[in-house]
């Protein structure tokens, strides 16, 4: 497939994700479609809190923030934090702005094309959205780029054992929600390890994982 077709496919996937999450925004916090993400919240929250322990005013970035529910939990734990949230879905951005008000900056943008300067944040996270990114390597680079030296990037995402993962990944091109790929531990370590100096990974239950990547000083 040539580069032009690659870009077309990526834009199609983004459009599917945007449409799906626009439709889910009103019910995401209580409905079945947001359940997997909600189950990840406490695990991501714990890692974010650990990553910036001792910093009274950490600069934080929520990639794929959805309705802002996780961002709100982070602010309740870290009230001095300066939070920025981004999402590809206009309806999700609207919901997050309503929830967070002036406690956070909420932007409509693509996690693969972040509009921030290098070294702008102390920690960033991506909860249940990394498997939607058409170019995960670029998304990982962007997270690395906008983090300050010593910063931490946390991913909470879907996971399946190899047989189920193979079936799901074969189905992904037909997904109406813009799903791209469920990553194995080795794949996620490789993607993050290209940029980050230290990467850890662990399973969460039967269908999720947490990866923590640290930028070198």
């Amino acid at each position: 497939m040539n580069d032009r077709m690659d870009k077309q496919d990526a834009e199609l996937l983004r459009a599917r994700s945007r449409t799906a999450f626009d439709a889910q925004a009103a019910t995401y916090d209580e409905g079945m479609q947001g359940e997997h993400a909600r189950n990840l919240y406490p695990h991501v929250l714990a890692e974010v809190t650990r990553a910036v322990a001792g910093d009274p005013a950490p600069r934080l970035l929520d990639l794929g923030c959805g309705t802002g529910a996780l961002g709100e939990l982070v602010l309740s734990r870290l009230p001095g934090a300066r939070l920025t949230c981004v999402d590809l879905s206009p309806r999700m951005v609207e919901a997050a702005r309503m929830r967070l008000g002036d406690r956070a900056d909420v932007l409509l943008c693509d996690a693969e094309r972040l509009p921030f300067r290098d070294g702008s944040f102390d920690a960033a996270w991506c909860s249940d959205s990394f498997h939607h990114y058409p170019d995960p390597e670029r998304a990982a680079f962007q997270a690395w780029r906008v983090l300050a030296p010593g910063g931490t990037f946390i991913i909470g995402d879907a996971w399946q054992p190899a047989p189920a993962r193979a079936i799901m990944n074969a189905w992904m091109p037909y997904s109406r929600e813009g799903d791209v790929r469920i990553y194995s531990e080795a794949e996620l370590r490789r993607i993050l390890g290209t940029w980050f100096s230290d990467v850890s990974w662990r399973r969460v239950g039967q269908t999720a994982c947490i990866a923590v990547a640290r930028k070198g000083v």
Side-chain angles (χ1 to χ4, degrees), residues 60-156:
L60 306 178
L61 175 63
D62 186 346
L63 300 172
C65 67
T67 64
L70 178 53
E72 186 173 47
L73 291 174
V74 170
L75 288 175
S76 70
R77 185 74 62 85
L78 303 167
R82 291 167 286 173
L83 176 62
T84 300
C85 303
V86 304
D87 203 282
L88 192 64
S89 158
R91 293 288 178 85
M92 287 294 195
V93 166
E94 181 181 347
R97 286 174 176 165
M98 289 183 64
R99 180 191 295 274
L100 297 170
D102 61 4
R103 294 178 292 167
D105 292 324
V106 184
L107 286 72
L108 179 67
C109 77
D110 185 349
E112 296 176 16
R113 306 166 185 171
L114 296 177
F116 310 114
R117 293 180 179 178
D118 296 0
S120 294
F121 301 97
D122 302 301
W125 64 88
C126 172
S127 183
D128 219 29
S129 64
F130 197 78
H131 64 278
H132 285 277
Y133 297 160
D135 189 341
E137 286 83 4
R138 183 176 178 83
F141 164 72
Q142 285 290 306
W144 176 88
R145 181 185 65 77
V146 302
L147 283 170
T152 303
F153 181 37
I154 297 123
I155 294 177

Side-chain angles (χ1 to χ4, degrees), residues 7-20:
K7 291 178 180 179
Q8 289 177 339
D9 289 345
E11 288 306 319
L12 174 61
L13 290 166
R14 291 187 186 98
R16 287 177 178 174
S17 291
R18 188 181 298 111
T19 299

